[in-house]
Amino acid sequence: MYDVYGVGNALVDSEYLVTEAILAESAFPKSGMSLVDEVSRATLLDLIEQRHGIHRKALASGGSAANTIATVSGLGGKAFYSCKIAGDATGAFFLNDLKNQGIDCNYDETDCPEGVTGECISMITPDGERTLVTHLGITQSYSPSEIKTAALTQSKYLYIEGYLVSSETGFEAALAAQAIAKSAGVPVALTLSDIGMVQGFRKQFEKLFASGVDLVFANEDEAMAWTTTASRDEAASRLASSPSAFAITLGGEGALVSGHQGEPKLIPARGVNPIDTTGAGDTFAGGVLYYLTSGCDLAEATARSHPMAAAVVSQYGARLSRDELQTLSQG
């Protein structure tokens, strides 16, 4: 039995501390996520490393849903991650990291296909905001064949990464996992992931929602884009009239949450001065899912997850260690 079965991209994060001028020179939109090919990836790395002499600060396993699943596992939950990695050094790094965290996966060292494992270049500016530039590599061909039905049907929650809608086969995998979960009575959680995904792939999200989503994670910009509203309160009101429960994150202010067709409620958080916002929403979602599967209601799960999101933005990197998560869960 698994607490959470996650489906999403397998990426290794390369983190760089850059100035606002370097970010502007790169021409990538601040705080957004851009998908690029191998040539554009190489050009960006040349700009950062060769022209400006900036060395990579950290290399870490990443991917939005993978960060969430790592949080579930770090808190003591049992988790499974379905992804696609190549049999290269980067893929081995990613797979070894999953195993070290006790996370089960649809691959082992012997069956990874040839190719290039995905990479996400994270440019972190002095204000703590992160701009992501992603080369999907082999995860671009993530497909329904990577879904393990036996593990999914024995899970308490399915968690779908919204970034999958940008790939035709990835979207098919999300739909396949959703259908399996629904047939087995497993609740489905979905993160909208990025405002660019919502704006560019609305039809795909509409199909996911039409097939049944039990819990939605979004930040306020994503929520407003999805509901075509002009304020977070309007977005919350619109979502509250839908069949889905939701948690709309508001940065340091907390989150607006609602159960199925319930009145939106603000769950406040203690504000912090962020160093690096990478992984805040992913960590928050992982905490909420863990506490939901442990018997908490959505409001309590949200309140108990706020300190984890605050902690991850107070350091560099997209994840907290198991020790950090355990300490926060007991605080």
Side-chain angles (χ1 to χ4, degrees):
M1 171 68 77
Y2 294 97
D3 292 301
V4 183
Y5 184 109
V7 295
N9 290 313
L11 302 170
V12 172
D13 291 338
S14 297
E15 299 177 355
Y16 295 87
L17 305 183
V18 303
T19 64
E20 295 284 356
I22 294 173
L23 178 60
E25 189 176 352
S26 78
F28 288 103
K30 183 173 180 176
S31 303
M33 195 286 290
S34 302
L35 295 174
V36 298
D37 58 18
E38 175 59 26
V39 173
S40 296
R41 169 189 168 276
T43 300
L44 177 59
L45 289 177
D46 181 72
L47 169 68
I48 296 172
E49 297 180 340
Q50 303 302 318
R51 293 173 57 186
H52 290 282
I54 296 175
H55 299 290
R56 184 172 60 199
K57 179 176 177 58
L59 181 69
S61 293
S64 174
N67 293 336
T68 296
I69 294 302
T71 302
V72 172
S73 180
L75 286 167
K78 187 165 177 57
F80 191 105
Y81 194 54
S82 173
C83 57
K84 189 161 189 177
I85 54 177
D88 56 4
T90 305
F93 176 90
F94 186 93
L95 185 59
N96 186 61
D97 189 57
L98 287 183
K99 290 191 173 183
N100 287 340
Q101 296 177 77
I103 300 169
D104 288 341
C105 180
N106 54 305
Y107 285 110
D108 61 32
E109 296 92 337
T110 65
D111 60 1
C112 296
E114 292 184 2
V116 177
T117 299
E119 180 183 11
C120 177
I121 299 169
S122 179
M123 293 183 285
I124 306 164
T125 41
D127 59 359
E129 289 296 312
R130 61 39 177 162
T131 300
L132 305 179
V133 179
T134 302
H135 174 237
L136 290 174
I138 201 168
T139 197
Q140 180 71 26
S141 60
Y142 179 66
S143 70
S145 63
E146 275 75 56
I147 305 298
K148 298 300 182 184
T149 300
L152 176 50
T153 56
Q154 294 300 310
S155 299
K156 296 179 183 178
Y157 255 98
L158 166 65
Y159 181 72
I160 299 174
E161 177 184 307
Y163 286 124
L164 290 177
V165 301
S166 66
S167 159
E168 182 177 346
T169 57
F171 177 54
E172 291 173 357
L175 288 174
Q178 183 184 37
I180 293 167
K182 285 297 179 182
S183 67
V186 176
V188 176
L190 169 70
T191 173
L192 298 186
S193 292
D194 185 85
I195 189 172
M197 295 293 103
V198 177
Q199 294 170 334
F201 299 92
R202 176 170 288 274
K203 288 184 178 180
Q204 287 85 339
F205 278 113
E206 287 175 346
K207 191 166 184 177
L208 285 168
F209 275 94
S211 298
V213 173
D214 299 284
L215 175 60
V216 183
F217 291 99
N219 64 29
E220 54 187 306
D221 290 334
E222 294 157 3
M224 287 188 290
W226 171 245
T227 58
T228 61
T229 53
S231 73
R232 64 195 191 191
D233 290 332
E234 287 181 283
S237 178
R238 185 74 58 85
L239 282 170
S241 65
S242 75
S244 304
F246 64 84
I248 302 173
T249 55
L250 311 175
E253 295 178 62
L256 281 167
V257 306
S258 172
H260 297 277
Q261 296 184 321
E263 188 70 22
K265 180 180 181 181
L266 174 64
I267 309 297
R270 182 178 299 177
V272 297
N273 293 319
I275 293 175
D276 174 13
T277 58
T278 309
D282 303 333
T283 300
F284 171 78
V288 170
L289 290 169
Y290 171 76
Y291 287 117
L292 287 175
T293 59
S294 301
C296 297
D297 63 19
L298 183 57
E300 183 181 359
T302 297
R304 297 185 68 175
S305 299
H306 281 327
M308 298 169 197
V312 82
V313 303
S314 300
Q315 64 177 32
Y316 289 110
R319 299 180 184 177
L320 299 173
S321 69
R322 181 176 293 270
D323 287 345
E324 289 171 321
L325 287 166
Q326 290 292 321
T327 297
L328 288 166
S329 70
Q330 297 163 13

